[in-house]
């Protein structure tokens, strides 16, 4: 279901925006409730709220830290479809997650895709080369 805070805000006539998406998703990420954070993200998207890059990154980095590569891949795809791209730091975190999970081919493909945006740095390439 809808997050209570989000529902209460909506019932009070408040329309969430890009800035509030960071707080709404970040609160659940901070508490380790990644499923709830992802549900809030889905709800915000269904409300046609532009979700901030920082909100996506909080969730991406948490999934990556937890080694949840499937969720990382799905969220990254969703993020890119929303015309958002991960920061270089987030990209490196994702690459490390893929490499740690034995998904070198997926890491290499992501690095090639991201090179067009110029977001990889030397650490990105070193991560994949290790």
């Amino acid at each position: 279901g809808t997050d209570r805070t989000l529902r209460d805000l909506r019932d009070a006539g408040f329309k969430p925006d890009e800035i509030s998406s960071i707080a709404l998703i970040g609160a659940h990420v901070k508490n380790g409730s990644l499923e709830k954070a992802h549900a809030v993200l889905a709800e915000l998207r269904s409300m046609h709220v532009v979700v901030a890059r920082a909100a996506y990154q909080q969730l991406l980095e948490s999934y990556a830290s937890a080694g949840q590569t499937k969720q990382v891949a799905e969220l990254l795809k969703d993020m890119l479809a929303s015309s958002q791209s991960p920061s270089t730091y987030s990209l490196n975190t994702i690459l490390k997650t893929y490499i740690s999970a034995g998904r070198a081919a997926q890491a290499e493909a992501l690095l090639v895709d991201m090179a067009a945006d110029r977001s990889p740095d030397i650490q990105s390439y070193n991560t994949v080369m290790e």
Side-chain angles (χ1 to χ4, degrees):
T2 303
D3 177 72
R4 183 171 177 246
T5 305
L6 181 55
R7 187 176 54 240
D8 289 349
L9 289 172
R10 193 175 56 210
D11 290 348
F14 176 77
K15 184 177 185 320
D17 61 11
E18 194 170 2
I19 301 300
S20 60
S21 72
I22 298 168
L24 291 165
I25 291 170
H28 290 299
V29 168
K30 186 176 180 180
N31 290 329
S33 304
L34 301 184
E35 287 181 22
K36 287 183 180 180
H38 202 120
V40 168
L41 173 67
E43 181 71 17
L44 290 169
R45 298 279 320 257
S46 74
M47 297 169 64
H48 306 288
V49 173
V50 174
V51 177
R53 174 179 164 180
Y56 275 106
Q57 289 182 173
Q58 291 176 81
L59 194 50
L60 255 178
E61 291 171 15
S62 295
Y63 279 141
S65 295
Q68 297 182 16
T69 56
K70 180 181 177 186
Q71 289 84 349
V72 167
E74 289 173 4
L75 188 58
L76 180 60
K77 183 179 175 182
D78 184 46
M79 184 179 189
L80 295 171
S82 300
S83 300
Q84 300 276 5
S85 61
S87 68
T88 302
Y89 178 82
S90 292
L91 173 62
N92 292 342
T93 301
I94 295 164
L95 292 170
K96 288 175 191 171
T97 301
Y98 286 163
I99 295 296
S100 295
R103 296 180 171 201
Q106 195 171 5
E108 289 174 22
L110 176 60
L111 188 58
V112 169
D113 288 346
M114 292 291 111
D117 294 339
R118 301 177 192 256
S119 59
D121 62 6
I122 190 69
Q123 184 179 348
S124 307
Y125 290 98
N126 286 340
T127 299
V128 174
M129 297 300 290
E130 291 176 350

